[in-house]
Amino acid sequence: NSDALIVTFSTIPALLEATPALVTRGRFLDCDCRLGLVDQPFFVSIRAGRIVELTATPVLMRSWRFSYRATPAAWHAYWQPMPKAGWHDLLALTKRGEAIVEGELHPFMTHLQYFKDLLALPRLQASKAAA
């Protein structure tokens, strides 16, 4: 359900702070973007690899450089401890038509591994909970 996904997204900044190697990987990344559900994205401000703002409520006229949004089914599948083929990767989700990438793709593609690892952090939590 979408409410559970929203709660999961809201945990990502704390999960990131608990993963210093990922913060270090993103140390050259400063951008404002939209991440989340197709119909309810979060506005995310990243500075030096840290999420300094994550806002769920829409803000009119807020600028962002790129957006990565996916369906609830995509996020549920992506965050499984061992996602199925085609549901395991951000770009695979776009190829399936389950996710949309738009805007200026340069910061997303330049820091693709950072975003893949960032958005997979809830998967690692699910794996630990299942163990």
Side-chain angles (χ1 to χ4, degrees), residues 5 68-80 87 93 98-99:
L5 291 171
Y68 184 91
R69 300 174 296 136
T71 64
W75 289 120
H76 280 295
Y78 185 73
W79 285 335
Q80 293 302 306
W87 296 93
L93 294 176
E98 294 288 332

Side-chain angles (χ1 to χ4, degrees), residues 65-131:
R65 292 191 56 197
F66 76 90
S67 176
Y68 184 91
R69 300 174 296 136
T71 64
W75 289 120
H76 280 295
Y78 185 73
W79 285 335
Q80 293 302 306
M82 288 294 292
K84 294 178 188 170
W87 296 93
H88 67 294
D89 181 76
L90 298 180
L91 296 180
L93 294 176
T94 62
K95 186 175 180 181
R96 296 182 76 85
E98 294 288 332
I100 303 162
V101 182
E102 55 193 348
E104 182 189 341
L105 298 185
H106 186 263
F108 179 69
M109 296 305 288
T110 303
H111 299 278
L112 184 59
Q113 192 61 54
Y114 172 85
F115 284 106
K116 286 181 176 188
D117 293 346
L118 175 72
L119 293 172
L121 287 172
R123 179 190 302 160
L124 300 175
Q125 282 300 109
S127 295
K128 289 177 185 175

Side-chain angles (χ1 to χ4, degrees), residues 19-85:
T19 314
L22 186 53
V23 173
T24 300
R25 181 179 303 139
R27 69 190 174 277
F28 300 118
L29 175 62
D30 290 321
C31 76
D32 296 325
C33 55
R34 291 188 318 163
L35 304 172
L37 297 165
V38 169
D39 59 352
Q40 191 169 1
F42 286 81
F43 175 83
V44 183
S45 286
I46 300 170
R47 300 292 178 266
R50 287 193 153 78
I51 295 176
V52 296
E53 182 183 356
L54 183 116
T55 306
T57 55
V59 179
L60 294 176
M61 305 297 286
R62 191 113 193 223
S63 66
W64 44 270
R65 292 191 56 197
F66 76 90
S67 176
Y68 184 91
R69 300 174 296 136
T71 64
W75 289 120
H76 280 295
Y78 185 73
W79 285 335
Q80 293 302 306
M82 288 294 292
K84 294 178 188 170

